[in-house]
Amino acid sequence: MPLQLVLFVTSRCNMRCDHCFYLDEINDSSRTELSLDQIESLAKELGGLHWIALSGGEPYLRKDLVEIFKAFYKYSRPNIMSHVTNGYYPDRISEMTRKMAEACPKSKNLVIFSLDGLKETHEQIRHSPGSFEKVRESIESVQKHQSDYPNLETGVVITAQENNREELIPLIEYIESKLIPDGIYINLQRDHTQPSNVLVDPLTLKNYQEAVAFYEDLRNKKHLKKSKILDRLLDGKNKLQKRMIAKIAEENSYQLPCLAGKVSVVVDELGNVYACELLKDPMGNLTNQSFKEIWFGEKSVSLSNSITENKCYCTHECAMSSSLLFNPPKLLHSMVAGMLG
């Protein structure tokens, strides 16, 4: 059974971001959503998980988002429960996040806010006037609860792309000095017009690498000296992950076995089950099969084996993360990198 789940809880969203790989599905009225009962059944089948990542669309458009968290906490007891939001609804985010942290005390609850530039750039990329200030308000609203809930953390994710590449380092400086989240995640934009998803504009890649190096230096100076051993090891894993992603994008070359479909799985809001969200052919659908029937079925086993045998590779952060964690030589490399800072 998988240890990592990425679940798209909705395709509804209030924004139309330039870099979104889900644009064709956003607000398609023909796309239904798995009900809370169906999601609870999935949680029961999955059992223990290391990490569950909820995504969308905009997750906070689901009124039962807290109940979804409770279901996975009850039946899957994940170490990490994360979700990404555009941060447009400060009051809703504050109240629902507080309830999530309270209901899931033994799991790390990580709320990741998308921010793609300083005010003008961010709002142009997201086609959403006023959204920059909304994100700031939302981050502050969640941080107010952190003293009461030590399992609650905030993060900011930046998607490096042509429209913001010159602003990445000033943006990181702003986030570190004004928003002060527990972590910043710098991702490369996906080119969803080509399956391998690795071709990146050379200048965007250069700016991405410079931004990653800049943030790593900040982490070394400000955080790692005070961090717990586990946090330092995870920092090492993140460093190695970013370097491997950059190398894949630069050389268009295979770097390590991908374990998508073996240790990780993706489920969309329609109930389609995928080894990886970049692969468009689902292994099955939860509306007419149980998860175990799909996961242990001939199609799924054949696909997951072909991913490793054919040396499939991409720059997708979630797939890369799980593949690194379950690759002993690479994990050892990560540990050394984390301890050395």
Side-chain angles (χ1 to χ4, degrees):
M1 295 290 281
L3 295 176
Q4 174 188 342
L5 167 69
V6 177
L7 175 63
F8 290 81
V9 295
T10 183
S11 61
R12 289 176 286 150
C13 191
N14 58 307
M15 295 187 188
R16 297 292 181 277
C17 306
D18 290 340
H19 57 275
C20 181
F21 66 92
Y22 220 49
L23 271 180
D24 292 340
E25 291 82 7
I26 290 296
N27 290 343
D28 181 346
S29 59
S30 68
R31 296 179 73 86
T32 56
E33 296 172 353
L34 288 176
S35 67
L36 179 59
D37 287 342
Q38 289 172 313
I39 291 174
E40 186 171 281
S41 295
L42 172 62
K44 289 178 182 178
E45 274 203 272
L46 285 168
L49 287 168
H50 168 61
W51 174 28
I52 174 170
L54 301 186
S55 188
E58 170 50 47
Y60 283 95
L61 290 178
R62 279 200 70 141
K63 295 180 180 179
D64 57 358
L65 186 62
V66 175
E67 284 66 37
I68 292 173
F69 267 77
K70 289 179 179 179
F72 280 106
Y73 185 76
K74 180 178 180 179
Y75 297 110
S76 302
R77 292 283 172 160
N79 295 315
I80 302 170
M81 303 178 76
S82 68
H83 60 289
V84 180
T85 174
N86 61 38
Y88 196 78
Y89 307 101
D91 294 339
R92 187 184 309 178
I93 289 171
S94 175
E95 181 60 17
M96 294 177 80
T97 300
R98 182 190 64 77
K99 290 179 179 179
M100 292 171 199
E102 184 174 53
C104 311
K106 294 183 179 179
S107 295
K108 176 192 286 190
N109 280 250
L110 176 58
V111 191
I112 304 174
F113 297 88
S114 297
L115 192 62
D116 296 308
L118 298 174
K119 186 178 187 301
E120 183 178 353
T121 301
H122 175 77
E123 294 182 0
Q124 284 179 348
I125 289 173
R126 296 195 163 251
H127 302 277
S128 179
S131 58
F132 184 86
E133 183 62 21
K134 293 285 189 181
V135 176
R136 186 193 62 77
E137 290 178 22
S138 292
I139 293 173
E140 290 180 355
S141 75
V142 173
Q143 289 173 333
K144 290 177 181 177
H145 299 308
Q146 287 187 281
S147 59
D148 295 324
Y149 303 100
N151 61 323
L152 180 60
E153 294 188 8
T154 59
V156 173
V157 62
I158 304 166
T159 301
Q161 55 193 281
E162 183 178 352
N163 294 336
N164 69 358
R165 62 192 182 195
E166 303 292 341
E167 202 170 274
L168 293 174
I169 289 178
L171 176 59
I172 292 169
E173 290 176 321
Y174 171 81
I175 294 169
E176 278 287 288
S177 63
K178 302 297 183 182
L179 303 181
I180 320 176
D182 296 292
I184 298 175
Y185 310 95
I186 309 165
N187 293 349
L188 266 175
Q189 180 182 6
R190 305 185 198 180
D191 182 354
H192 39 85
T193 63
Q194 41 93 30
S196 60
N197 190 45
V198 297
L199 299 179
V200 179
D201 176 85
L203 183 54
T204 300
L205 179 60
K206 177 177 179 290
N207 291 138
Y208 164 82
Q209 291 173 297
E210 290 173 351
V212 167
F214 179 79
Y215 180 59
E216 285 180 359
D217 188 53
L218 285 181
R219 291 284 292 180
N220 289 338
K221 292 177 180 177
K222 295 185 178 181
H223 299 293
L224 287 181
K225 293 178 182 177
K226 302 177 183 179
S227 295
K228 297 177 183 178
I229 295 296
L230 179 58
D231 291 334
R232 295 181 69 176
L233 296 182
L234 288 175
D235 268 294
K237 190 273 295 181
N238 290 334
K239 284 182 183 179
L240 181 59
Q241 177 176 318
K242 295 301 182 188
R243 289 165 190 169
M244 293 186 72
I245 286 172
K247 192 170 184 180
I248 290 171
E250 188 172 24
E251 300 179 358
N252 192 17
S253 63
Y254 171 86
Q255 296 296 317
L256 85 164
C258 179
L259 300 180
K262 285 186 168 65
V263 301
S264 61
V265 67
V266 176
V267 178
D268 71 13
E269 74 282 359
L270 301 175
N272 292 313
V273 179
Y274 299 90
C276 171
E277 64 196 55
L278 303 182
L279 303 176
K280 299 304 181 183
D281 184 23
M283 302 184 293
N285 188 283
L286 295 174
T287 61
N288 51 43
Q289 284 181 286
S290 71
F291 181 82
K292 288 181 180 178
E293 286 174 333
I294 297 170
W295 186 253
F296 294 111
E298 184 179 343
K299 182 176 182 179
S300 300
V301 173
S302 175
L303 176 61
S304 64
N305 288 337
S306 72
I307 288 173
T308 50
E309 290 168 3
N310 296 331
K311 296 186 176 181
C312 187
Y313 63 92
C314 70
T315 61
H316 181 27
E317 285 79 10
C318 290
M320 176 72 74
S321 181
S322 58
S323 296
L324 275 172
L325 286 172
F326 291 91
N327 184 303
K330 295 295 185 183
L331 187 58
L332 178 61
H333 185 171
S334 299
M335 292 178 177
V336 173
M339 295 304 295
L340 294 177

